[in-house]
Amino acid sequence: MGGSINTAHAGDAGRSDDRPALARMFAPRSVALVGVSGRPGSTMARPLTFLVEHGFVGEIHPVNPNYDEIDGHPCHPSLDAVPAPVDLVLVMVPAARVIEVVHQAGAVGAAGVIVFASGFGETGDAGADLQTRLRDAAREAGVRVLGPNCQGLLYAPASLCATFTSAAVRARAPREAGVAYVGQSGAIGGSILDLANEMGLGLTAWASTGNQADLDLVEVARALVDDDAVRVIMLYVEAVGDGAAYTDLARAAFERGKTLVVLRSGRSAAGQRAAASHTGAMLGNDAGFRLVSQRFGVIQVEDLDELLAVAAARAALAPMRGRRIAVVTTSGGAGSLAADRCAEHGLALPELAPATRDALAPLIPDFGALANPVDVTAQILGSDDAFGAVCDTVGADDSVDAVLVLLTMVVGDNGRKLARDLVRTAQALDKPILVVWLAGHDLTAEGRAALRAAGMPVFASVDGAVRAAARLAQAAVIDAAPSTPRIDRARLDGVLAGGRLDGEALLDALTVSRPHSSIVNSAAAARAAVEALGAPAALKLAGGALDHKSDIGGVRLGVSAEAAEATYESLMAAARAKNVPVAGVQVQSMIESGVELVIGATAAAEGFPPIVTVGLGGVTTELYRDTASALAPIDADGARALLRRLRAWPLLDGFRGAPPADVDAAVDVIVRVSEAMAFGEGRIGEFEINPLIVAAAGRGAMAVDVLVSPPAAVDSRDD
């Protein structure tokens, strides 16, 4: 390979370092095809045909006792009869015989095996058992297995085409783009391969991981990150079982300047435990995956077209360093549409500099437009190099990070000339040019071919191009961990050491302010508690399995000592009416009003780091779902950035003349909660303050209610 392949057997620390195994699979010196068919047109004849047609220069060894030779290659009755070393074994026998072949592959010293057969984990309990035995056999034999139920792999630098997908029939694109693909779905993988070839995107590597009995998508992608021939890796992800491995993959790609572009169809099981808190309910099941991806600049896309277009643009075009885009169009209507779409996707259309407009004036007819969007009109198309000169001028403007070119019915000779101009401009410009061509392929075939040969994707819609630009503009968000923790870790450990989680004790250990509070179990005790406070109090149902007290009328505010006994009885009656067991009634001092926030954190799950979430709090938390999340722990700058991402930020910043809230106090609480989750070492499952009432600047923030639960269940709460 162009670089080095580095991988270890997941979950098998005792196995010797087998990093060369994947290198030998991607660039084998010899390939054996066990069960290959000699019948022309047979699906299981294709791998041999493809190896030859794609120019594989290593040794090819068909293995099938029913043939003496296939297509001029001597055919051997078994693997051990092959008279030369074997690096890679393609297994084309039924599922019941696969384990036998895996053992034979190990015996002859093969590095890897690709299992095409289905009939494993996707078929039910018996198939799942067979797949487990296949995994065990691979480890016993000392080989790596890709599959089962997969479509194989390709590696262009070695001219290896080890697959049976009909997508490999199409002639390969003339140039490798440094783009690789790894995916869990065979059918999707075949489509990606075919569509990539159609758009002129020659893939450097392609792998279908199937059921992932041994090698999984993350391991294969991690190996490709270390390959000098690969710059961009497309991933089609259905599930990631090891968040730590995915985090390592994303971090490694970021550190090596590689780009991961991910299309995710499923949702991780992380977070699918019961979640009583607002935080757990609103995060979504794949929050860890999303936040790790955001942290390390992984581009997440929504469909196959976008996956291919973004990968192609990232590989072929200059990087997009900001979110400012200039539009050059042959149609004023298309320009207006682009302006709308840019606004929707968070891209800015900057005003062009006066010098830029002065330079454009001689190039564009009077009835065109020099503003952004720049409307060149159809009149310019007859002038040689004029369109390219416009794009050169616009792209040179310091306020522009990318140029979006919108072509309508520019066809024939004009289309060819324009495509030539765009290729020249793109090659000279240190900013990306994205092209939308709104005309039939048959009328623009030559122009599109010129763009394709240069590696420039052509978008079929304005929205598709703008969406791709927004993806290309996203940057890694490295949430900084606190350099000096704010919490006393020894004090935190002391609270968590007993095993029983106490929310108020946890707040005290974190030095988060809370109202004076006590839990009472009689009407008389309620009156005495209110009298002790010396002022009207808040009375709330406490503890038990109650998460949303207000839903059953379980909260009363401004209760006087005289009304305390009757209020206590009324609250307990409300609990009995709903058959909700409670620990009593909480008597709490009233506090001054302010902005209500929810500050929550959820534990690490499936290897992903813990998560801290902030949002608009109180009883409307789930209604508005105005939240922002980050991986924990975070520092003060990260906490403040989360607050600024909220739609409710103006309420904290002084909305319509109101005094600003004590943002510094809120930031302090966010940092401390994030540290508690990160340093709690798996002893806290969920931790939520709702509401945290943030008073006016300088007057602090108060945690009114707290919910805390153990890691694997939500059965111990302190409200």
Side-chain angles (χ1 to χ4, degrees):
M1 296 186 72
S4 60
I5 291 288
N6 293 295
T7 187
H9 202 296
D12 193 359
R15 186 168 179 172
S16 61
D17 185 356
D18 63 352
R19 284 175 292 178
L22 265 152
R24 289 172 63 195
M25 290 182 72
F26 275 102
R29 293 162 298 182
S30 60
V31 178
L33 301 91
V34 179
V36 63
S37 174
R39 290 187 294 110
S42 167
T43 300
M44 289 302 102
R46 288 177 186 168
L48 176 58
T49 301
F50 292 158
L51 283 171
V52 173
E53 290 182 349
H54 283 248
F56 179 64
V57 296
E59 297 179 5
I60 299 174
H61 303 289
V63 176
N64 189 326
N66 298 318
Y67 300 92
D68 294 325
E69 64 88 26
I70 299 178
D71 292 342
H73 297 275
C75 193
H76 310 286
S78 62
L79 262 179
D80 58 10
V82 175
V86 174
D87 283 334
L88 178 62
V89 178
L90 309 188
V91 181
M92 290 170 279
V93 300
R97 291 187 51 207
V98 166
I99 291 176
E100 172 192 353
V101 176
V102 167
H103 282 297
Q104 293 172 1
V108 300
V113 173
I114 299 177
V115 179
F116 297 131
S118 57
F120 290 87
E122 79 282 3
T123 62
D125 291 343
D129 177 68
L130 183 60
Q131 185 165 310
T132 298
R133 290 192 286 121
L134 170 60
R135 179 201 64 200
D136 294 343
R139 296 182 178 184
E140 292 168 7
V143 299
R144 303 310 307 269
V145 170
L146 185 68
N149 192 29
C150 77
Q151 294 198 7
L153 62 82
L154 288 80
Y155 187 62
S159 299
L160 176 72
C161 184
T163 182
F164 63 87
T165 176
S166 57
V169 174
R170 186 194 290 265
R172 235 177 61 206
R175 58 186 294 276
E176 291 172 29
V179 177
Y181 166 84
V182 187
Q184 291 170 290
S185 165
I188 293 294
S191 296
I192 287 288
L193 180 60
D194 190 57
L195 291 170
N197 280 327
E198 183 179 68
M199 67 185 293
L201 180 63
L203 297 183
T204 299
W206 175 93
S208 161
T209 59
N211 290 11
Q212 305 187 148
D214 176 31
L215 282 169
D216 66 8
L217 170 141
V218 172
E219 284 184 276
V220 175
R222 181 64 182 81
L224 291 171
V225 164
D226 291 333
D227 185 352
D228 295 339
V230 174
R231 302 193 307 278
V232 179
I233 303 173
M234 299 183 287
L235 300 178
Y236 174 75
V237 181
E238 293 175 348
V240 174
D242 186 347
Y246 179 76
T247 301
D248 175 71
L249 167 65
R251 179 187 293 108
F254 174 76
E255 291 174 348
R256 288 161 175 74
K258 307 293 180 76
T259 301
L260 300 181
V261 186
V262 175
L263 173 60
R264 189 141 196 242
S265 65
R267 290 295 180 262
S268 168
Q272 289 182 350
R273 61 194 183 281
S277 70
H278 297 96
T279 307
M282 291 187 296
L283 271 178
N285 293 332
D286 64 340
F289 181 90
R290 287 186 286 106
L291 290 171
V292 165
S293 297
Q294 290 170 14
R295 168 173 282 189
F296 295 111
V298 176
I299 300 176
Q300 300 174 77
V301 298
E302 300 296 332
D303 60 35
L304 293 181
D305 286 346
E306 193 177 15
L307 178 68
L308 285 160
V310 169
R314 187 67 186 85
L317 305 178
M320 189 169 173
R321 299 183 178 89
R323 304 189 67 83
R324 303 168 303 173
I325 195 163
V327 177
V328 178
T329 179
T330 59
S331 161
S336 297
L337 182 61
D340 291 342
R341 294 295 177 268
C342 285
E344 291 173 6
H345 291 289
L347 297 173
L349 267 70
E351 182 178 346
L352 300 177
T356 301
R357 295 197 299 271
D358 290 344
L360 289 175
L363 301 173
I364 298 176
D366 293 340
F367 48 87
L370 301 179
N372 187 12
V374 177
D375 182 6
V376 301
T377 77
Q379 301 300 317
I380 197 176
L381 301 178
S383 304
D384 287 344
D385 301 326
F387 193 89
V390 170
C391 293
D392 289 341
T393 303
V394 171
D397 193 301
D398 289 338
S399 69
V400 172
D401 297 310
V403 180
L404 174 62
V405 174
L406 306 180
L407 308 177
T408 48
M409 287 300 293
V410 184
V411 300
D413 288 340
N414 285 337
R416 286 192 297 274
K417 293 176 182 177
L418 185 144
R420 179 199 62 200
D421 285 353
L422 287 175
V423 169
R424 178 189 54 77
T425 299
Q427 290 172 343
L429 195 63
D430 63 350
K431 302 169 185 177
I433 293 182
L434 290 85
V435 180
V436 179
W437 211 332
L438 303 176
H441 284 231
D442 55 336
L443 298 177
T444 56
E446 292 185 56
R448 289 175 186 270
L451 294 171
R452 187 166 58 242
M456 297 175 63
V458 180
F459 294 87
S461 71
V462 174
D463 186 70
V466 172
R467 188 184 296 273
R471 307 294 193 204
L472 294 169
Q474 75 179 48
V477 180
I478 305 297
D479 303 310
S483 55
T484 302
R486 297 192 180 196
I487 67 172
D488 184 331
R489 294 188 62 173
R491 192 174 177 188
L492 173 66
D493 289 339
V495 171
L496 299 179
R500 182 184 181 278
L501 295 175
D502 183 316
E504 292 187 349
L506 186 54
L507 291 178
D508 292 343
L510 301 179
T511 64
V512 173
S513 299
R514 62 181 178 87
H516 185 280
S517 176
S518 61
I519 295 178
V520 299
N521 295 104
S522 71
R527 178 173 183 135
V530 176
E531 288 175 341
L533 293 176
L539 270 64
K540 311 172 184 180
L541 290 172
L546 186 61
D547 304 311
H548 306 294
K549 294 178 283 292
S550 59
D551 289 353
I552 65 168
V555 179
R556 308 291 169 81
L557 304 178
V559 179
S560 65
E562 293 75 16
E565 294 182 77
T567 302
Y568 175 90
E569 297 293 357
S570 175
L571 288 169
M572 295 302 288
R576 289 192 296 271
K578 295 293 185 179
N579 196 30
V580 176
V582 295
V585 169
Q586 185 178 39
V587 179
Q588 196 173 67
S589 58
M590 296 288 291
I591 63 175
E592 63 179 284
S593 62
V595 179
E596 295 188 1
L597 297 178
V598 55
I599 312 296
T602 55
E606 293 192 350
F608 290 108
I611 297 169
V612 60
T613 298
V614 303
L616 188 63
V619 296
T620 59
T621 296
E622 289 172 321
L623 175 63
Y624 293 115
R625 292 181 175 265
D626 182 15
T627 62
S629 300
L631 300 178
I634 58 173
D635 65 4
D637 289 341
R640 193 177 300 272
L642 285 183
L643 291 174
R644 288 183 174 275
R645 283 165 52 190
L646 299 177
R647 295 191 303 274
W649 166 252
L651 298 177
L652 294 165
D653 199 34
F655 183 62
R656 291 193 171 181
D662 198 334
V663 173
D664 288 341
V667 163
D668 184 65
V669 174
I670 295 167
V671 171
R672 290 175 185 273
V673 169
S674 80
E675 291 179 6
M677 188 58 69
F679 303 147
E681 298 175 341
R683 290 169 288 179
I684 307 172
E686 291 185 86
F687 178 18
E688 179 180 281
I689 298 169
N690 187 26
L692 177 79
I693 298 183
V694 187
R699 300 188 63 84
M702 188 78 69
V704 176
D705 273 322
V706 59
L707 180 149
V708 60
S709 67
V714 185
D715 57 6
S716 175
R717 304 176 183 122
D718 188 343
D719 288 295

